[in-house]
Amino acid sequence: MATEAPPPPGSTDSSPARPTTEAFVETQKSAEFAELRRTHRSFAFPLTVGFIAWYLLYVLLSSYAGDFMGATVVANFNVAFVFGLAQFLTTFLIAWFYSRHAARKLDPKAEAIKSRLEADA
């Protein structure tokens, strides 16, 4: 399914050449693409599992450890409030770690694959 309409007849289209379906399939079968996927998954899956476990811990403690979560930490702030803020903090930290990881390890590999596909088209 195309997401863009083709350029009108007679226009000067400066977009890169589009690879064929066969080229995409061959690239997907390549060792280089498999390495890119493995690099992404080895980073994303553990962080996702860790964050979900952390979130579920928060939910379970909120549900079943009311006395603990209601304990005052500082002034009027209790453990539940601190854990809730920590959820936001970990979300932003994970996004920051992922952007660094993608810029260093994923983007160069993906750009090389993309350049090769566009050059062969």
Side-chain angles (χ1 to χ4, degrees):
M1 180 172 151
T3 57
E4 297 178 9
S11 70
T12 55
D13 184 19
S14 62
S15 63
R18 295 181 188 242
T20 63
T21 302
E22 293 79 20
F24 278 115
V25 170
E26 287 302 315
T27 299
Q28 187 177 13
K29 293 178 183 177
S30 72
E32 185 180 21
F33 188 77
E35 176 61 27
L36 176 63
R37 284 189 355 214
R38 187 174 24 261
T39 303
H40 168 71
R41 288 177 179 168
S42 68
F43 185 87
F45 286 171
L47 274 179
T48 301
V49 169
F51 183 78
I52 289 172
W54 162 234
Y55 175 74
L56 289 176
L57 174 69
Y58 174 70
V59 170
L60 290 172
L61 286 173
S62 295
S63 297
Y64 299 109
D67 291 339
F68 170 69
M69 295 296 272
T72 302
V73 177
V74 175
N76 289 331
F77 299 110
N78 59 16
V79 173
F81 184 78
V82 173
F83 274 27
L85 289 178
Q87 291 289 318
F88 286 101
L89 178 64
T90 55
T91 300
F92 290 114
L93 284 174
I94 288 171
W96 180 68
F97 282 138
Y98 180 77
S99 69
R100 288 185 57 219
H101 171 74
R104 283 186 294 136
K105 297 192 177 177
L106 301 178
D107 293 348
K109 292 177 185 180
E111 188 59 39
I113 292 170
K114 178 183 171 205
S115 298
R116 198 170 308 108
L117 268 172
E118 289 174 349
D120 292 343

